[in-house]
Amino acid sequence: MVSRSTILKTIGLAGVSALAMSAVAAEARGERDGYDEGRSSSSSSSRRVDVVPYLEVSQIVTADLAGGSGEVLTYSVLAAGVDAGIVTRGAEAQVNLRYERRIDWGDDIGDEDVLSGIARARIDVVPGALSFEAGGLAARNRIDLRGDAPGNLVGGSDNVTQVYSVYAGPTLATHVGDLSVNAAYRLGYTRVEDNNIVLGPGQQPIDVFDDSVSHSVSASVGQQPGPLPFGWSVSGGYAREDAGQLDQRFEEKYARADVTVPVTRDLALVGGIGYEDVEISERDALRDVNGDPVIGNDGRLVTDPASPRLLSFDADGLIWDVGVLWRPSRRTSLEARIGKRYDSTTYYGSFTYQPSSRTAINISAYDAVAGFGSRLNDSLATLPTQFDSFRNPLTGDLNTCVFGAANGLCFNDALQSLASSSFRTRGITGSITTSTGAWQHGLAVGYNRRRFYAANTGALAGFGGVVDQSWFASYFAGTQIDARSSFDANVYASYLESGIGNGSDVLSLGANAAYYRNFTNRLSGSLAVGVDSYDQQGVDTQVVGSALVGLRYSFQ
């Protein structure tokens, strides 16, 4: 049977999907605040409503090729899903939602339910001014960086569980005379399911995320260069995340003023100064008679509600940054800044280049303090309302990178670790999407460094200061062979370096390919093959081969 918990999470993501598919209002708004020399964004009057529910049945075979038991496993998959893309005069939305029932043939992996999907929607309540936005993600993810690291989540993979995250809220973007006025509020919820974690000898699961509720509110008012020889803005914001385990709390307040000073038509100097207050705290765990933290049946620490709040991070005071903004054309933009925040040096920036409608290049460097739930919500909010998402043809799982017409976004940073402690995350990601003839290509690479915060006197005292690092690369290629058949392939790699005691570095590599054939307008078939490996220190390298044959019926 489908568990009550799975049903509740399905309702949450389906709610975002329902919002997406009911969207009716205005086209895209003007460009956000900034130095644009009077350029305005283009708007499209095109209308597109594509909603395709489907049913699917497939048969999968996996085999341990090296480092494992040599077993050959067979199981069936029954799936139901919907792919939808909506563009109207007042709304944009994209939905990719799929539920699977996996049926084991030999009691080797056990039957399981899997929900995966991604959705993003915007409804314009007041055209050109007020909109309502929402997003959601359901995915399977690795739990502990020290445990197994399967690159292809075929079958009953150890150290893997379900992650769900949704957010929604209004966004205001309008003008009052020459002033740009912006405001936004987001309410988010993130949940990680219970699951058994398989680790190495002598290792115990620690700090496994449970759930959290997050709030984010921001507002700004400003003016672009023109009425004055420089542009300016004043902004402020507040963010908070309350996590279930140890009643952990992340809280951030800030206020700042920024100026933009044009040097040439294409180049401007930018800078800002302000004040911030960031505080992270938690409660202690219940202790047994020996003074050791109590761990519940779900593998998480049991919170002591009578414990006082324990401070794990506190930074308040002056913040500032300076940099350059370069926009030589509507297709090219560069912003780079350096300054002080979180009581230390910070640097961040972005580069976008779209030489044609068929190619887009994006690079982004970031530096932020956040919790797991709020970081995942932030990534969802950055996702465009029109994008291409791809699934592993063998497992049905969503790839961690999605690609829009002008940019790509990867969730590798947000999903790097399911630890509940808040952290500082720094890194850089880059992506390129292009179409050449009948082929589509997408490439993404990135690096992320995450430093965790925990109270020195709490149950997670040894976790404070731990640093995890990850590197990843993902490549996708696909083509329409003829009117009825298509082909795509994926190659991916990741390297994880855990700073947790007794942790080990893990290298994961994988590739797969799939052929699709439409027999009728509604009935299609698929064939897929793949190979995946992961090499973990102290453990033999494991290599798994997989093959699939499937049928899909689409209700178009």
Side-chain angles (χ1 to χ4, degrees), residues 198-338:
V198 178
L199 299 173
Q203 296 179 346
Q204 296 294 323
I206 60 173
D207 195 33
V208 182
F209 186 90
D210 184 8
D211 67 349
S212 75
V213 176
S214 58
H215 304 267
S216 176
V217 60
S218 61
S220 68
V221 60
Q223 189 178 57
Q224 294 179 359
L228 296 174
F230 58 89
W232 63 270
S233 69
V234 177
S235 60
Y238 173 78
R240 173 167 168 165
E241 180 178 359
D242 291 282
Q245 177 165 258
L246 299 184
D247 194 15
Q248 296 176 67
R249 179 183 299 165
F250 163 77
E251 195 168 23
E252 177 186 31
K253 315 179 192 74
Y254 76 90
R256 60 179 291 151
D258 289 84
V259 294
T260 302
V261 181
V263 177
T264 68
R265 173 177 171 80
D266 301 329
L267 181 67
L269 301 179
V270 293
I273 188 169
Y275 172 84
E276 74 171 356
D277 184 359
V278 182
E279 185 176 296
I280 302 172
S281 63
E282 65 191 56
R283 298 190 190 277
D284 199 2
L286 284 174
R287 304 280 178 163
D288 59 21
V289 294
N290 298 318
D292 297 324
V294 175
I295 297 178
N297 295 330
D298 60 358
R300 298 180 174 95
L301 294 165
V302 178
T303 306
D304 180 1
S307 165
R309 287 220 153 263
L310 308 174
L311 199 62
S312 55
F313 180 78
D314 186 16
D316 65 280
L318 184 71
I319 58 174
W320 62 268
D321 55 59
V322 294
V324 295
L325 180 59
W326 181 55
R327 291 184 179 175
S329 71
R330 297 176 60 85
R331 298 181 179 275
T332 306
S333 177
L334 170 68
E335 181 175 5
R337 298 194 184 217
I338 185 171

Side-chain angles (χ1 to χ4, degrees), residues 113-132:
D113 301 299
V114 177
L115 176 67
S116 61
I118 187 168
R120 180 74 167 84
R122 190 204 77 243
I123 301 174
D124 288 348
V125 180
V126 178
L130 180 64
S131 63
F132 189 83

Side-chain angles (χ1 to χ4, degrees), residues 52 54-56 479-487 514-527 550-556:
V52 185
Y54 64 85
L55 296 175
E56 189 173 289
T479 186
Q480 192 73 31
I481 299 174
D482 56 39
R484 289 192 172 273
S485 59
S486 61
F487 170 84
Y515 171 78
Y516 305 92
R517 178 75 179 179
N518 294 328
F519 303 118
T520 69
N521 289 337
R522 296 187 175 184
L523 182 65
S524 62
S526 61
L527 297 172
L551 288 173
R552 172 183 289 197
Y553 185 83
S554 300
F555 298 88
Q556 289 179 303

Side-chain angles (χ1 to χ4, degrees), residues 85-134:
I86 299 173
V87 178
T88 72
R89 287 184 59 84
E92 291 190 359
Q94 193 80 25
V95 179
N96 187 323
L97 183 63
R98 177 185 176 95
Y99 164 75
E100 294 183 2
R101 176 65 174 175
R102 300 183 175 185
I103 304 170
D104 180 23
W105 279 26
D107 296 326
D108 298 300
I109 60 177
D111 297 350
E112 63 178 341
D113 301 299
V114 177
L115 176 67
S116 61
I118 187 168
R120 180 74 167 84
R122 190 204 77 243
I123 301 174
D124 288 348
V125 180
V126 178
L130 180 64
S131 63
F132 189 83
E133 304 193 10

Side-chain angles (χ1 to χ4, degrees), residues 85 306 405 470:
S470 68

Side-chain angles (χ1 to χ4, degrees), residues 65-83:
L65 304 180
S69 61
E71 288 184 309
V72 176
L73 306 177
T74 303
Y75 64 96
S76 302
V77 174
L78 303 177
V82 61
D83 293 327

